Amino acid sequence: MLKDLGVKPYTFPMPVLMIATYCDDGKVDVMNMAWGGVCAENMVALNLDEEHKTSENIKKRGAFTLSIADVAHIAEADFFGCATGNKMADKFERSGMRAVKSTRVDAPVVEEFPLTLECKVVECRHTAYGFRVLGEIVNVLADEKILDEKGKPDPKKLNAFVFDPFQSGYYAIGEKVGQAWNAGVGLLKK
C-alpha cells in the first residue's frame, strides 16, 4: 500500500556537487550543493540561493568548476556545505585542500577532487524558485587514477557518494548492476 508523504524533494540519488569559484580578492570559494546536474550534453544547471557567496562569485566571474567529490574527501565536502563563505573568509584554507587556476575558465580546480567540469556561465536567471545558473561545459578534467583502460572515468575508481534527501545521509556508489540499453532489450521482443 502506498502512503502519501506530501510535497518533498524525494529523488534518489541526488548528486553531491562541489562548485568552486573565485571571490573578489582571488580567494577560492567552494560550495557543496545537491540542487543541480547535467541538463544537456554540454550543459549543467544549478539552482542556488542568491545569497550564497558562490552565487555572487558566479555573477561577477562568469565561470565556475563543478566537481564530483569522492569518499576519501567526504569530510571536506560536507564542511563546504556546513560553512558559508559569507561568514568564513578562510573557508577553503581550513579544508586543507589545494586548488589551481583553470586554464579554460576564470575559476579554480580543486586538485583532490577526481572529476571536474570546467564551466562558463551561459545564463543567470532569477525565478520564483531561486537563482538558476546554466553553465556550458568547456572541458572535463579527470585524475588518471579513476580512468579505465579506454580512458573513460570508471565509477568504481571514482568512488563518489550521493546525498539521501530522506534521512540526510551520504551513500557510496559504484556497484554496477546492469548495462544501459541492454538490460531491458528482452522486453522489446514480447
Side-chain angles (χ1 to χ4, degrees):
M1 180 170 171
L2 297 175
K3 181 174 173 150
D4 187 346
L5 298 179
V7 178
K8 306 281 184 190
Y10 280 177
T11 59
F12 183 80
M14 288 183 79
V16 177
L17 304 170
M18 300 291 117
I19 308 169
T21 58
Y22 283 122
C23 300
D24 285 340
D25 61 4
K27 284 189 175 187
V28 174
D29 178 65
V30 181
M31 176 185 167
N32 174 331
M33 62 100 53
W35 304 105
V38 172
C39 64
E41 188 170 304
N42 67 333
M43 299 289 289
V44 295
L46 312 175
N47 291 303
L48 305 165
D49 182 321
E50 199 162 1
E51 302 306 311
H52 286 298
K53 185 70 169 171
T54 300
S55 298
E56 178 186 329
N57 296 341
I58 285 172
K59 288 189 279 187
K60 289 180 178 178
R61 299 281 185 149
F64 59 93
T65 59
L66 192 63
S67 296
I68 305 296
D70 58 354
V71 173
H73 298 97
I74 196 167
E76 293 89 344
D78 189 60
F79 169 71
F80 290 140
C82 296
T84 172
N86 285 325
K87 295 180 181 175
M88 187 180 291
D90 64 342
K91 176 179 166 181
F92 185 71
E93 290 81 6
R94 286 188 193 198
S95 75
M97 299 182 100
R98 299 175 316 271
V100 295
K101 183 167 178 24
S102 164
T103 60
R104 293 179 173 81
V105 297
D106 187 15
V109 175
V110 179
E111 293 181 315
E112 289 84 356
F113 292 144
L115 189 70
T116 300
L117 285 65
E118 297 169 288
C119 303
K120 70 177 181 178
V121 174
V122 172
E123 179 180 275
C124 291
R125 182 176 288 178
H126 307 272
T127 72
Y129 306 103
F131 180 58
R132 181 162 188 145
V133 177
L134 291 178
E136 179 185 354
I137 302 166
V138 298
N139 189 50
V140 177
L141 298 168
D143 188 319
E144 290 179 350
K145 294 183 288 189
I146 69 159
L147 301 179
D148 66 14
E149 63 281 347
K150 294 179 183 175
K152 290 187 175 183
D154 179 333
K156 285 185 181 179
K157 293 178 180 179
L158 181 60
N159 200 23
F161 60 95
V162 294
F163 177 68
D164 145 35
F166 315 120
Q167 299 171 1
S168 297
Y170 292 125
Y171 289 82
I173 59 171
E175 178 187 352
K176 186 174 184 177
V177 295
Q179 184 64 41
W181 300 286
N182 185 304
V185 170
L187 295 174
L188 291 172
K189 298 175 183 172
K190 280 190 166 187

